Amino acid sequence: MKTTLVFGASLKPNRYSNIAIHRLLENNIKTFAFGLRTGKVSTVQIKTNLNNFENINTITLYMNPTRQSEYYHQIIDLAPKRVIFNPGTENPEFYKSLQEKGIVVEVACTLVLLATGQY
């Protein structure tokens, strides 16, 4: 089963990352979450480190480009097949590094992809 890591997950129900976790689960997509604070969204535990994530197919980003930079190497080391840059997370500098490692870069909205069956 393909897995998704919500990167920049929030406990706040009105945040898009939180909504995305719920929608991913509704679509029967195995979901993990990384954020700055621990907690739980539905059945998904938000972790504050990236140590135990394996076999991640997709990383969907909900972290602004300034904050992303400290995680470049860790994201690449997870070796996802694709990284989705949601609105507000666009980062051309990072696109290049990902593409050089053979990781597909998608500038899109995870919620729209799910809603239209394109995820």
Side-chain angles (χ1 to χ4, degrees):
M1 175 184 275
K2 293 182 178 178
T3 59
T4 295
L5 173 61
V6 176
F7 198 95
S10 173
L11 293 168
K12 297 177 182 175
N14 62 333
R15 296 291 205 165
Y16 289 116
S17 62
N18 188 296
I19 296 166
I21 291 170
H22 287 284
R23 298 279 164 73
L24 288 161
L25 293 172
E26 288 167 12
N27 282 273
N28 298 313
I29 296 168
K30 189 171 182 178
T31 305
F32 298 102
F34 168 81
L36 301 176
R37 291 180 183 82
T38 60
K40 211 166 191 182
V41 175
S42 185
T43 59
V44 177
Q45 180 67 42
I46 299 174
K47 297 185 178 180
T48 57
N49 66 63
L50 295 165
N51 297 338
N52 297 315
F53 293 114
E54 294 179 358
N55 302 317
I56 301 295
N57 184 74
T58 300
I59 293 176
T60 182
L61 286 175
Y62 289 94
M63 188 177 281
N64 73 54
T66 306
R67 295 201 93 158
Q68 290 171 24
S69 62
E70 67 185 276
Y71 298 103
Y72 286 176
H73 294 293
Q74 291 173 290
I75 289 171
I76 290 169
D77 287 346
L78 288 170
K81 296 201 179 356
R82 72 174 169 167
V83 174
I84 299 172
F85 287 82
N86 287 281
T89 68
E90 299 89 346
N91 187 347
E93 174 188 73
F94 194 24
Y95 301 165
K96 185 178 178 185
S97 300
L98 292 166
Q99 290 166 333
E100 287 171 356
K101 297 292 184 180
I103 299 168
V104 174
V105 169
E106 199 166 339
V107 180
C109 175
T110 295
L111 296 174
V112 171
L113 294 174
L114 288 165
T116 58
Q118 298 178 68
Y119 193 82

